[in-house]
Amino acid sequence: MSIVVTGATGQLGRLTVEALLRRGGPAADIVATGRDTAGIKDLADRGVVTRRADFADPDSLAAAFAGAEKLLLISASIPVDERLAHHCRAIDAALTAGVSLIAYTSMTRADTARTILAGTHRATEEYLRERDAHAVVLRNSWYLENYTDQLPLALQHGTFLGAAGGGRVSAATRADYAEAAAVVLTTEGHTGAFYELGGDQAFTLAELAATASAATGTPIAYSDLPAGAFTQALTGAGVPPELARILADSDLGLGRGELFTDTGDLRRLIGRPTTTLADALAAALR
């Protein structure tokens, strides 16, 4: 059985390859792809097949997906107005290659959420249906790393910034989402499923700040800003304008409950409780 993972040069893709290896299948049955395979040479050294796959280059996709039985299509981290076209090319290439299952990493509540990112995910899910693809949709909530990576700045300035109000986010670690993807790719019975994936313990950004304060012994507050002011704060910190706009828009969605899920799907797939915010913060501090 050949399993192809797109975006293996990125964090979620690499973690999924590692999770597949831990599940005991032959390394030679895993195909790790990326635009620049130099970044995954270490995987090749461990017996994983590595191939170039560029969503903008259909010929590279045809070669990368050749002989694959299952595909993990990790949503593209590119300009948002290009994402759908790239996803459609990958889906077309997978179906032409005869892939029997496409697992797509979408976003919580993608069918109803009003954020910019959710729109691209919803359109991709619709394209999978239009193409009558055998698919499973992994609707991931936010990464805990989105917050733990901010910890140095929060400690420096004594605050987390956001525009989420009192909304609750069901964030989980990339490793938990990767493990769920590996389970779906190596077990049966998932075709047609829509999994709403998130951490067991949802939290507000005020609770994030309180938990970070307890973990560090340093007072950290949450400062809730209007979306425009949050966008300006992000760009002032060096975040590219388009990304700043998307992050502020996503916080508004968080405030509307669009990154919250209590299905327990992630816990059931990985067979254990999800990583807690407190544990993720402790790991980041280490």
Side-chain angles (χ1 to χ4, degrees):
M1 177 178 68
S2 178
I3 299 173
V4 175
V5 177
T6 70
T9 51
Q11 296 178 78
L12 181 61
R14 172 174 283 274
L15 286 168
T16 302
V17 172
E18 296 287 355
L20 288 168
L21 290 168
R22 286 196 302 274
R23 290 184 68 79
D29 287 348
I30 303 170
V31 181
T33 73
R35 281 182 293 178
D36 182 1
T37 57
I40 47 177
K41 181 182 180 302
D42 62 305
L43 294 176
D45 293 340
R46 294 161 62 188
V48 174
V49 178
T50 60
R51 296 175 183 168
R52 177 179 174 272
D54 184 341
F55 288 169
D57 179 1
D59 289 341
S60 76
L61 297 175
F65 299 167
E69 181 179 345
K70 297 182 180 181
L71 169 73
L72 177 63
L73 175 56
I74 294 178
S75 52
S77 56
I78 56 172
V80 70
D81 58 351
E82 299 177 23
R83 291 179 98 199
L84 178 60
H86 282 57
H87 294 165
C88 290
R89 288 190 199 99
I91 292 165
D92 290 344
L95 295 177
T96 299
V99 169
S100 63
L101 180 71
I102 300 172
Y104 171 64
T105 61
S106 185
M107 187 175 186
T108 45
R109 304 177 185 266
D111 52 338
T112 58
R114 306 200 307 268
T115 59
I116 296 167
L117 290 179
T120 65
H121 288 301
R122 182 165 54 250
T124 302
E125 292 182 11
E126 290 170 354
Y127 191 71
L128 285 165
R129 284 193 290 271
E130 289 170 11
R131 292 300 317 271
D132 199 24
H134 291 172
V136 53
V137 177
L138 307 173
R139 288 179 171 167
N140 295 345
S141 183
W142 239 213
Y143 300 138
L144 277 172
E145 290 87 348
N146 290 354
Y147 301 114
T148 58
D149 287 353
Q150 296 180 44
L151 195 53
L153 278 176
L155 285 168
Q156 180 181 347
H157 298 289
T159 185
F160 281 101
L161 300 179
R168 304 184 73 78
V169 58
S170 301
T173 61
R174 285 189 181 92
D176 284 353
Y177 292 125
E179 189 173 341
V183 169
V184 164
L185 291 166
T186 55
T187 59
E188 300 303 319
H190 304 287
T191 302
F194 287 77
Y195 293 119
E196 298 280 352
L197 302 177
D200 294 334
Q201 299 174 349
F203 54 87
T204 67
L205 298 194
E207 290 168 343
L208 162 70
T211 305
S213 295
T216 62
T218 300
I220 300 174
Y222 169 57
S223 180
D224 193 60
L225 304 173
F230 184 37
T231 302
Q232 290 178 353
L234 290 170
T235 55
V239 177
E242 182 190 26
L243 179 57
R245 178 175 65 94
I246 289 171
L247 291 174
D249 176 71
S250 297
D251 255 25
L252 293 178
L254 195 166
R256 295 189 295 264
E258 294 171 3
L259 287 167
F260 172 80
T261 178
D262 58 0
T263 64
D265 285 347
L266 181 55
R267 179 179 67 253
R268 281 190 291 273
L269 282 174
I270 64 178
R272 58 168 174 79
T274 62
T275 305
T276 65
L277 172 61
D279 285 345
L281 287 166
L285 289 168
R286 287 195 297 270

